[in-house]
């Protein structure tokens, strides 16, 4: 085929890449979206709890409480598990994560990301309306359940702090929990219903709807190998199934696989992953789950997806490409059955994905300093679905010379030296 040309290549068709492609397209750029899959949203964007977490002001930082660290180190906590064999590979990154999680540095990260978090649902609402898929957004918020006085008290302190930054919610006693979710079982000291966040009952489907919108507006979506990206005369070139495509600029939005490109280009960026699993199960009888619910003490989420009740686990520290070890999921299953009337599994096997994380829990957004026309947009940690549309707007504003709606400096790759 004749070599295709565009203004911008966006590498990666997850929520982050599609969000960037749409915002660049909206600003008059001719964009080609490239992914190894024929469909958008097949990677990390496919598997999550479906929350557009506009209430998550404070990122998930490394714990500072010694007792909590010791509990995780014993590898029995439901929220976190690590692969002992992979420990040498990710221990240096964990040390950087711990250091970046000091109260001062964690607060700095939170304040840097706050404009993105607070803009996240607004950007999604606009894209969902334009894509014509209002059924993929439910304004239910989500409920965090607490089984002990200690965990409830800690959550209340965090909630009081978050309210200072505009987070809304309701504290629930046992009767209020039952009113909202009559089919839940178990004894709880209380819960917090975060009422603002949006819930997406098919995250992979939303990424596909955005990609379809991108195509309707004249964009090209091609299957190709991002690892073939190379600088060419006047821009960037990448191989696709039909041949090759070139553009003046290229955006690396490959989530946990971004290192496959930036490593080759000589960038030393401390990108690591937190792996996670999910499994869909049927609801028994006439049982209905009205909201996503987090069992905070037992470390899992149940979310009422279109494809069944999705059980999602906490964090697994292991190499990105190591074989799946869904031990957390196996441990969570009996607890999930006790929480809600679940039937048979609807998936042949559990799904596994990898959340791309930097030690300060902030993404890298902006110019690659040593290569003209190369841009980065990855490392969205637990908030790829939440932030993809907002960071797409921020990147597009930077690339097209607009005044950005948030300060881009904290997201620059130069922060890592």
């Amino acid at each position: 085929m004749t070599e295709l040309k565009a203004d911008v290549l966006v590498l990666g068709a997850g929520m982050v890449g599609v969000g960037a492609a749409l915002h660049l397209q909206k600003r008059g750029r001719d964009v080609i979206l490239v992914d190894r899959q024929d469909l958008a949203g097949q990677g990390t964007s496919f598997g999550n709890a479906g929350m557009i977490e506009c209430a998550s002001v404070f990122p998930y930082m490394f714990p500072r409480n010694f007792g909590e660290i010791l509990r995780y180190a014993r590898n029995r906590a439901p929220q976190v598990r690590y692969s002992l064999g992979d420990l040498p590979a990710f221990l240096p990154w964990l040390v950087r994560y711990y250091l970046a999680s000091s109260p001062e540095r964690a607060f700095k990260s939170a304040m840097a990301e706050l404009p993105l978090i607070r803009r996240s649902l607004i950007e999604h609402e606009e894209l969902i309306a334009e894509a014509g898929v209002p059924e993929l957004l439910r304004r239910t918020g989500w409920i965090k359940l607490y089984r002990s006085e200690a965990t409830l008290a800690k959550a209340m302190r965090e909630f009081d702090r978050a309210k200072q930054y505009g987070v809304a919610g309701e504290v629930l006693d046992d009767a209020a929990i039952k009113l909202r979710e009559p089919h839940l079982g178990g004894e709880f000291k209380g819960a917090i219903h975060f009422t603002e966040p949006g819930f997406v009952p098919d995250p992979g489907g939303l990424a596909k709807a955005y990609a379809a919108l991108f195509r309707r507006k004249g964009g090209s979506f091609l299957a190709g190998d991002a690892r073939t990206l190379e600088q060419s005369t006047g821009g960037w070139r990448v191989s696709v199934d039909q041949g090759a495509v070139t553009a003046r600029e290229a955006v690396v939005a490959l989530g946990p696989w971004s290192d496959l490109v930036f490593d080759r280009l000589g960038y030393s960026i401390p990108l690591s992953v937190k792996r996670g699993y999910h499994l869909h199960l049927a609801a028994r009888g006439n049982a209905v789950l009205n909201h996503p619910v987090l069992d905070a003490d037992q470390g899992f989420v149940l979310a009422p997806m279109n494809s069944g009740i999705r059980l999602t686990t906490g964090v697994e520290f292991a190499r990105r490409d190591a074989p799946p070890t869904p031990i957390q999921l196996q441990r969570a299953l009996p607890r999930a059955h006790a929480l809600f009337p679940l039937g048979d599994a609807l998936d042949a096997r559990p799904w596994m994905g990898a959340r791309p994380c930097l030690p300060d829990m902030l993404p890298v957004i902006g110019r690659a300093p040593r290569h003209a026309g190369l841009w980065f947009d990855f490392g969205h940690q637990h908030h790829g679905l939440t932030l993809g549309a907002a960071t797409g707007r921020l990147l597009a504003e930077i690339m097209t010379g607009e005044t950005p709606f948030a300060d881009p400096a904290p997201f620059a790759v130069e922060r890592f030296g």
Side-chain angles (χ1 to χ4, degrees), residues 69-313:
I69 294 173
L70 184 62
R71 190 164 63 94
Y72 292 159
R74 290 172 175 166
N75 224 9
R76 297 297 299 174
Q79 295 87 354
V80 176
R81 184 182 178 276
Y82 63 91
S83 164
L84 189 60
D86 289 343
L87 187 59
F90 61 79
L91 185 57
W93 186 88
L94 281 180
V95 171
R96 296 185 71 160
Y97 184 23
Y98 174 80
L99 294 174
S101 298
S102 69
E104 299 81 9
R105 293 179 67 182
F107 182 75
K108 185 178 178 181
S109 288
M111 293 303 99
E113 195 170 72
L114 182 61
L116 307 183
I117 288 288
R118 300 306 287 166
R119 187 76 199 175
S120 59
L121 184 56
I122 297 167
E123 294 296 332
H124 274 294
E125 286 175 327
E126 292 177 1
L127 289 179
I128 285 169
E130 195 174 358
V133 286
E135 70 279 4
L136 290 183
L137 178 62
R138 301 177 189 170
R139 297 302 301 272
T140 61
W142 69 322
I143 297 173
K144 297 185 179 183
L145 303 161
Y146 302 94
R147 294 176 179 269
S148 74
E149 294 286 1
T151 55
L152 177 62
K154 180 183 177 185
M156 289 296 298
R157 290 193 296 272
E158 293 172 351
F159 181 38
D160 287 340
R161 187 184 183 203
K163 283 192 287 188
Q164 300 174 43
Y165 302 96
V167 173
E170 299 176 44
V171 180
L172 309 180
D173 60 14
D174 193 58
I177 295 170
K178 292 292 190 293
L179 187 64
R180 284 167 173 76
E181 293 292 351
H183 292 103
L184 291 185
E187 303 218 351
F188 302 98
K189 296 301 180 181
I192 300 174
H193 181 191
F194 292 90
T195 52
E196 285 186 295
F199 171 59
V200 177
D202 183 358
L206 184 61
K208 292 173 179 61
Y210 286 174
L213 171 63
F214 170 74
R215 279 172 155 157
R216 288 199 302 272
K217 295 175 70 175
S220 298
F221 180 12
L222 303 174
D225 187 351
R227 294 172 297 179
T228 65
L229 181 71
E230 60 182 1
Q231 208 163 13
S232 63
T233 304
W236 294 88
R237 183 180 187 275
V238 71
S239 298
V240 296
D241 288 356
Q242 298 92 334
V245 292
T246 61
R248 293 193 307 270
E249 298 178 288
V251 176
V252 179
L254 295 163
W257 299 279
S258 296
D259 61 323
L260 299 178
V261 172
F262 70 67
D263 274 354
R264 264 192 323 104
L265 295 173
Y267 291 89
S268 180
I269 303 171
L271 180 70
S272 190
V273 301
K274 298 179 184 180
R275 303 203 313 181
Y277 300 83
H278 81 227
L279 184 71
H280 293 104
L281 300 110
R284 279 196 288 110
N286 63 350
V288 174
L289 188 65
N290 299 309
H291 310 76
V293 295
L294 166 69
D295 190 324
D297 295 75
Q298 299 191 343
F300 66 86
V301 171
L302 292 179
M305 297 291 179
N306 290 345
S307 48
I309 305 297
R310 179 177 288 184
L311 167 61
T312 72
T313 67

